[in-house]
Amino acid sequence: MNALIELDDIEVHFKVKNRRSVTPATLRAVDGVSLAVERSQCLGVVGESGCGKSTLAGVLVGLTTPTAGQVRYDGQDIGPRRSKELRRRIQMVFQDPVASLNPRRRVRSVLAELIDCHGLVPDTGMASALNSLMEMVNLPTRVLDARPRELSGGQRQRVAIARALAVQPDVLVADEAVSALDVSAQATVVNLLADLRADLGLTIVFISHDLGIIRTLCDRVAVMYAGRVAEEGPADAIFATPRHPYTRALLKAAPDLRRRAAEPRVPALEGEPSGALDLITGCPFQPRCPEAEAICSAAPPPYVQHGSHRTACVHASDQLGPVPG
């Protein structure tokens, strides 16, 4: 495997005030996550709100310092104090372009400052570089002279993508980058990301709660629950033969136009997700799992590996078929 980005047993804990005790409680936002993303691959990270997806994104780009664990880029250990060169290699596209773009500055000024700061092109080539960025994200060059408020939501998000591309990154982390857009704009941005990956060889970590988009865009999928990876594997295998009961519940709950009206409605999961302040001794999904047994509350389940597909469930081995190619 030619992994460009690796996360090794990452934990992110926060101290929070506890009304019931003088001692601060520990919020475990990410609780022992290990992932690897190959060069030019697109990894989708999916799960309910509060499962740790965005915190993990912050660790990837260096905005969040992990409590424990290691981040490696191209085989090199990287800490929270990253070099300027390394910071530009891993860029992020945030969920809300209105909040992430300076409302007072024109697009030209925002992009030119980044290019100049990293010394990527000479002054004489700046205009050409800016025009090329607009072409990359399918925007007319007149957008360079606009402020964010003068653009539509889809245009603003494409400007945000252009800002990330301005420093010529190898890795793009998209954190719910299309969730604030309408369906038409979502399709435009998703298609753009797919084209950029093909044209530039970008490695993409795409974080979303939308399983339909994940299935369309991603090669591999990591399903997170309560700060942990419940299941990870090739996208085709995850959607065709999910082995974790939580993954199956997510897929059954997703809208499906092919589902006939006469088919029985899939009941929603009962209960609430395990809180990040809860002391979890066994499987975090155990309180809501319809397949839970006594062993599930005794200790965290080990991963059952099947080819390149791994599942943190004691029942995963019951569903194994031929090893995927």
Side-chain angles (χ1 to χ4, degrees):
M1 183 177 70
N2 183 26
L4 182 62
I5 286 285
E6 295 174 272
L7 301 176
D8 186 10
D9 203 20
I10 293 293
E11 297 183 7
V12 181
H13 298 171
F14 301 105
K15 294 295 184 181
V16 296
K17 292 183 179 180
N18 189 347
R19 295 179 181 179
R20 299 180 180 179
S21 173
V22 177
T23 305
T26 299
L27 187 151
R28 296 176 295 278
V30 178
D31 196 12
V33 169
S34 295
L35 290 170
V37 190
E38 295 185 26
R39 193 179 297 272
S40 301
Q41 189 178 69
C42 183
L43 171 70
V45 182
V46 66
E48 292 172 285
S49 296
C51 72
K53 304 187 302 294
S54 293
T55 303
L56 199 65
V59 171
L60 280 167
V61 298
L63 293 176
T64 302
T65 301
T67 306
Q70 186 62 54
V71 182
R72 286 188 290 273
Y73 172 80
D74 203 15
Q76 173 190 356
D77 290 345
I78 54 176
R81 295 184 178 181
R82 302 181 184 181
S83 65
K84 182 178 178 180
E85 172 64 18
L86 193 53
R87 289 199 304 272
R88 83 168 181 86
R89 294 287 184 181
I90 308 173
Q91 290 293 305
M92 189 165 182
V93 179
F94 296 90
Q95 177 178 0
D96 185 4
V98 175
S100 63
L101 293 172
N102 189 327
R104 297 186 178 184
R105 300 183 63 183
R106 298 185 189 276
V107 173
R108 182 186 304 277
S109 171
V110 171
L111 300 181
E113 181 182 50
L114 284 169
I115 295 172
D116 183 62
C117 177
H118 289 271
L120 297 174
V121 299
D123 292 342
T124 55
M126 183 64 74
S128 177
L130 295 176
N131 290 340
S132 294
L133 280 172
M134 291 296 96
E135 184 178 355
M136 279 186 193
V137 297
N138 300 324
L139 286 174
T141 54
R142 66 174 181 272
V143 168
L144 288 168
D145 296 313
R147 292 185 174 89
R149 66 173 179 270
E150 300 168 336
L151 304 174
S152 68
Q155 288 175 323
R156 283 193 292 264
Q157 194 60 290
R158 280 183 279 165
V159 168
I161 293 172
R163 181 181 59 181
L165 296 176
V167 294
Q168 301 172 16
D170 296 324
V171 181
L172 206 60
V173 180
D175 183 17
E176 298 282 7
V178 299
S179 64
L181 306 178
D182 60 45
V183 174
S184 177
Q186 281 185 0
T188 299
V189 172
V190 169
N191 290 334
L192 172 62
L193 290 173
D195 291 342
L196 290 171
R197 178 189 165 204
D199 295 341
L200 304 177
L202 279 175
T203 301
I204 299 176
V205 178
F206 188 83
I207 295 169
S208 179
H209 63 273
D210 191 316
L211 291 168
I213 295 176
I214 290 282
R215 187 172 194 169
T216 299
L217 186 63
C218 302
D219 304 306
R220 292 185 65 80
V221 178
V223 181
M224 288 190 65
Y225 186 84
R228 304 179 186 180
V229 175
E231 184 169 7
E232 184 211 357
D236 291 344
I238 292 288
F239 283 94
T241 56
R243 295 194 172 95
H244 197 286
Y246 176 62
T247 308
R248 291 196 291 273
L250 284 180
L251 292 174
K252 288 179 181 178
D256 187 353
L257 295 179
R258 296 169 297 181
R259 191 175 295 151
R260 297 180 181 178
E263 292 183 12
R265 185 175 180 85
V266 178
L269 283 172
E270 296 182 359
E272 296 293 330
S274 300
L277 291 173
D278 297 337
L279 181 60
I280 301 173
T281 57
C283 174
F285 188 57
Q286 180 266 335
R288 306 174 73 193
C289 182
E291 303 172 26
E293 298 178 0
I295 189 176
C296 300
S297 60
Y303 283 106
V304 175
Q305 192 78 35
H306 188 58
S308 59
H309 191 161
R310 62 179 178 138
T311 311
C313 179
V314 295
H315 299 295
S317 58
D318 300 338
Q319 307 170 46
L320 298 184
V323 176

